[in-house]
Amino acid sequence: PMFFFNRNTIQHPGENIPYEEQVRKLKEKMQNVEAIVLGAGSGLSTAAGLTYSGERFQKYFFDFAKKYPIQDIYSGGFFPFESPEEFWAWWSRHIYFNRYIDAPSDVYGNLKKIVVGKDYFVLTTNVDHQFQRAGFEKERLFYTQGDYGLFQSSRPTVAKTYDNQDIVEKMLEAQGFVRDNAGIFQLPEDKKLKMSIPTELIPICPDDGFPMTMNLRTDENFVEDAGWKMAAKRYQDFLHSHKGKHVLYWELGVGMNTPVIIKFPFWRYTEENPNAYYACLNLGEAGCSTKISERSICLNADIGQVLRDLLKVDSV
């Protein structure tokens, strides 16, 4: 069932409780539940330093920002570039600097330390692979919206995806990026970059001959490949096997862009299971439905700070 709500149906339990007490309460809940279902949105990666505007945008896309009215990495992904060569120059940077490098901060690593040894599963709308980079088990992850590391046909006839690291790195080299001692691509010293790639690097699907595109859920052409379907099944199995049990539905950095994927279902699962508890961690957007406010903790705070504090709190 879909949720229909207005702002009045959202509560902010905990807003009058001291921060330290909220953190302690969340830690206590984690230790006393049988399972944790993590729901992760873009706010988690932002907290990890993978910001889409400001300094990182200016650093890697300065030339595009100069030529076009693009203000940030996200909106640049939808820009109508002049040619496929230019489109892929943009997208190879977009992919590489969000998917093939580690997040600048300790957020994902700390989250891993918090759930290690617990029965957990991660549902995320993030497509930057940072959970796996931080060592989360692949079998406990479901990326619903795709993966920057995968290409698919733009007009798919087969439900297949293709790893793109090799071709993306070739595109970066062709633009003038250089590897440092650790093998990570950096800007060249003179900061001179090409804003297009050679035509022969434009990716074509080996199975149907159509141009490739990102495996991101933007329209009905999104490919749900075998790996996606297996992950979806594992997630459903996890929910099913913990039905009625003491479960913590813990949401991190999920806003109101796509609430039907994580937020609303988490509210519903908590409402339907009297043994369940809901936690929302989100700076500026922490709230829950009035129906579950008695069994909720909503922390309106910086995710990175809360995770560090959770690791410091003594076992309750």
Side-chain angles (χ1 to χ4, degrees):
M2 289 292 291
F3 268 89
F4 295 97
F5 72 97
N6 58 37
R7 288 280 169 212
N8 304 331
T9 64
I10 293 190
Q11 286 207 341
H12 307 275
E15 58 191 347
N16 303 318
I17 301 168
Y19 170 79
E20 290 75 16
E21 206 177 304
Q22 283 187 295
V23 171
R24 193 170 286 280
K25 190 177 171 189
L26 180 53
K27 178 88 169 209
E28 187 185 348
K29 284 291 164 203
M30 279 182 219
Q31 290 169 331
N32 295 321
V33 292
E34 294 167 78
I36 299 175
V37 183
L38 291 171
S42 60
L44 183 65
S45 282
T46 301
L50 290 171
T51 48
Y52 274 29
S53 58
E55 200 185 327
R56 286 180 83 241
F57 170 64
Q58 286 301 333
K59 180 177 179 181
Y60 298 119
F61 298 92
F62 63 92
D63 44 358
F64 282 95
K66 206 166 150 185
K67 182 175 176 182
Y68 295 116
I70 300 173
Q71 307 275 313
D72 59 80
I73 301 177
Y74 181 77
S75 59
F78 301 95
F79 194 79
F81 291 108
E82 286 174 6
S83 66
E85 289 83 355
E86 202 174 55
F87 172 91
W88 283 112
W90 169 280
W91 266 102
S92 55
R93 299 183 201 183
H94 188 135
I95 292 166
Y96 184 83
F97 292 108
N98 292 300
R99 166 68 167 75
Y100 290 115
I101 59 165
D102 293 335
S105 93
D106 56 359
V107 162
Y108 279 93
N110 286 343
L111 185 56
K112 172 78 173 35
K113 286 178 193 163
I114 288 166
V115 299
V116 76
K118 296 181 169 60
D119 195 9
Y120 73 87
F121 202 98
V122 177
L123 172 70
T124 183
T125 51
N126 294 348
V127 294
D128 53 23
H129 208 65
Q130 292 298 324
F131 279 103
Q132 268 163 278
R133 295 191 74 84
F136 282 76
E137 296 164 52
K138 194 181 174 186
E139 289 65 39
R140 293 179 179 272
L141 296 173
F142 178 28
Y143 293 89
T144 59
Q145 306 298 81
D147 181 348
Y148 277 152
L150 300 173
F151 283 161
Q152 63 166 73
S153 169
S154 53
R155 287 161 62 184
T157 49
V158 282
K160 265 173 82 173
T161 55
Y162 310 84
D163 290 332
N164 65 19
Q165 183 167 4
D166 188 45
I167 186 81
V168 163
E169 292 184 352
K170 284 190 174 121
M171 290 178 190
L172 286 187
E173 270 172 14
Q175 291 170 72
F177 284 89
V178 289
R179 290 185 191 269
D180 63 14
N181 294 336
I184 309 292
F185 279 106
Q186 307 289 352
L187 294 167
E189 277 181 30
D190 64 6
K191 297 222 166 45
K192 285 203 170 79
L193 292 170
K194 291 185 178 131
M195 284 175 65
S196 65
I197 61 156
T199 306
E200 61 269 21
L201 286 182
I202 294 172
I204 303 296
C205 178
D207 285 303
D208 60 25
F210 287 115
M212 297 258 243
T213 187
M214 277 60 62
N215 179 228
L216 304 175
R217 190 188 297 280
T218 50
D219 58 27
E220 68 286 350
N221 285 325
F222 175 68
V223 167
E224 297 175 356
D225 66 5
W228 189 98
K229 290 195 166 89
M230 273 158 58
K233 185 180 184 309
R234 282 195 291 265
Y235 176 58
Q236 289 306 323
D237 290 348
F238 188 88
L239 292 178
H240 187 70
S241 65
H242 294 92
K243 225 177 167 80
K245 294 184 179 172
H246 293 275
V247 180
L248 173 65
Y249 293 96
W250 185 14
E251 186 191 290
L252 301 106
V254 177
M256 277 296 183
N257 279 352
T258 50
V260 293
I261 299 170
I262 297 171
K263 192 180 288 291
F264 293 169
F266 276 24
W267 290 359
R268 195 176 78 238
Y269 301 152
T270 306
E271 191 188 327
E272 290 167 354
N273 174 6
N275 293 316
Y277 203 85
Y278 170 78
C280 174
L281 181 44
N282 199 340
L283 186 58
E285 281 193 75
C288 68
S289 112
T290 47
K291 293 174 176 173
I292 59 167
S293 58
E294 297 296 306
R295 288 184 284 119
S296 294
I297 185 160
C298 297
L299 266 159
N300 178 15
D302 174 71
I303 293 175
Q305 190 58 51
V306 175
L307 296 181
R308 284 191 287 274
D309 291 340
L310 280 169
L311 286 168
K312 276 188 238 161
V313 173
D314 294 332
S315 295
V316 190

